[in-house]
Amino acid sequence: MASIAITPDEVADLKGLNCPMPVLKTKKALDKIEGGKILQVDLTDAGSKSDLPAMIKRTGNELLEMTEENGVYTFYIRKKLA
Amino acid sequence: MSEEKPKRMSIIASKGALDMAYPPLILASTAAAMDVETMIFFTFYGIDVVNKKKYANLRVAPIANPAMPSPVPMPNIIGMLPGMTALGTMMMKSMMGKINWPSIPELVEICLEMDVKMVACTPTLEMTGLTQADLIEGVEVGGAADYLDFALDGNINLFV
């Protein structure tokens, strides 16, 4: 559980998608928002637990938190400032 | 991190079978999502992956493919029979459908959208009588030196 509630600016529902789609769609969603804004991503692909952080790190964005509940993984990502 | 020179990856895609078309497209689109400059160089049968007339109908052959998934083990002699490639292809597509996997045309479109450089090998085009007009829009044409010029600065260079 989040100790401090994170309020996302955008939410991407990627449940049911498998590699490589969660990474591709998360990147697309990040490209659409402004720097500093927070994107919430919900997905069910267990492989994305390590895939998504790798992409987030390589693109210079920030993973604020990842939670897991009933097979749904939720990522909170802060987009880097341009 | 953003100050660094961008990472770069090149892939030579030389196969036109359904199962062999996926790895270059998946790796390239994912690399592009990771801000990696990416090129796929399509050569020989790999050209089929960006051939307008063929790319939606790539197939996988059960013959001489011991890893081919099948409800029952399939000896090569059966794989030789007419229709077995169509059957194998249908089975593989249904398995992909079950996990919501994108089709080859969808992945090609994603790659182009994400600025993956897609280059078709000129001698292969000449050999097979194809021109750039036969290829998906956005696919460029180039030769070995074009590939090497890009790949010499590559952090990852793969041959598929």
Side-chain angles (χ1 to χ4, degrees):
Chain A
M1 292 298 281
S3 43
I4 307 163
I6 299 172
T7 315
D9 297 292
E10 285 294 330
V11 181
D13 179 3
L14 308 181
K15 295 195 282 287
L17 294 176
N18 284 284
C19 171
M21 299 317 286
V23 166
L24 301 183
K25 297 222 166 182
T26 299
K27 183 58 175 10
K28 234 182 199 175
L30 279 170
D31 285 346
K32 278 195 205 137
I33 64 172
E34 282 172 46
K37 298 268 187 204
I38 296 171
L39 173 70
Q40 174 186 336
V41 179
D42 298 323
L43 46 89
T44 49
D45 171 36
S48 294
K49 265 200 293 186
S50 55
D51 253 18
L52 219 49
M55 181 277 279
I56 293 163
K57 190 184 78 183
R58 285 285 174 185
T59 49
N61 295 296
E62 186 190 355
L63 177 56
L64 300 174
E65 188 167 290
M66 203 263 310
T67 61
E68 183 179 347
E69 208 176 322
N70 301 324
V72 177
Y73 306 98
T74 302
F75 289 77
Y76 296 95
I77 309 157
R78 194 200 311 271
K79 179 168 175 173
K80 71 174 167 196
L81 295 166
Chain B
M1 183 171 292
S2 51
E3 301 303 314
E4 281 173 35
K5 204 175 148 209
K7 302 281 184 195
R8 187 178 263 205
M9 175 171 81
S10 78
I11 305 176
I12 296 180
S14 70
K15 308 277 198 305
L18 180 62
D19 55 329
M20 298 305 281
Y22 273 97
L25 297 174
I26 288 175
L27 286 173
S29 53
T30 304
M34 293 171 84
D35 289 345
V36 176
E37 285 179 3
T38 308
M39 176 199 274
I40 312 178
F41 186 77
F42 297 92
T43 188
F44 279 78
Y45 300 110
I47 295 273
D48 286 6
V49 179
V50 286
N51 180 330
K52 273 182 205 163
K53 289 204 186 80
K54 292 189 168 175
Y55 82 144
N57 298 302
L58 300 181
R59 304 192 298 166
V60 57
I63 193 160
N65 186 354
M68 183 82 198
S70 162
V72 286
M74 194 187 288
N76 274 331
I77 191 103
I78 293 179
M80 282 173 64
L81 296 174
M84 293 314 287
T85 295
L87 184 68
T89 302
M90 206 177 76
M91 271 168 35
M92 182 161 280
K93 282 193 170 171
S94 112
M95 282 163 48
M96 288 168 173
K98 271 186 205 148
I99 63 159
N100 264 323
W101 240 26
S103 67
I104 294 295
E106 281 169 319
L107 272 177
V108 167
E109 197 189 318
I110 290 170
C111 282
L112 287 167
E113 237 173 60
M114 302 187 86
D115 292 328
V116 172
K117 229 170 127 65
M118 312 270 266
V119 182
C121 159
T122 39
T124 309
L125 291 175
E126 263 175 53
M127 185 177 79
T128 50
L130 296 169
T131 68
Q132 195 166 2
D134 297 300
L135 307 177
I136 303 305
E137 208 185 311
V139 176
E140 302 161 40
V141 297
D146 283 318
Y147 170 76
L148 290 170
D149 188 39
F150 186 94
L152 278 168
D153 292 321
N155 301 92
I156 304 174
N157 298 312
L158 301 172
F159 184 93
V160 178

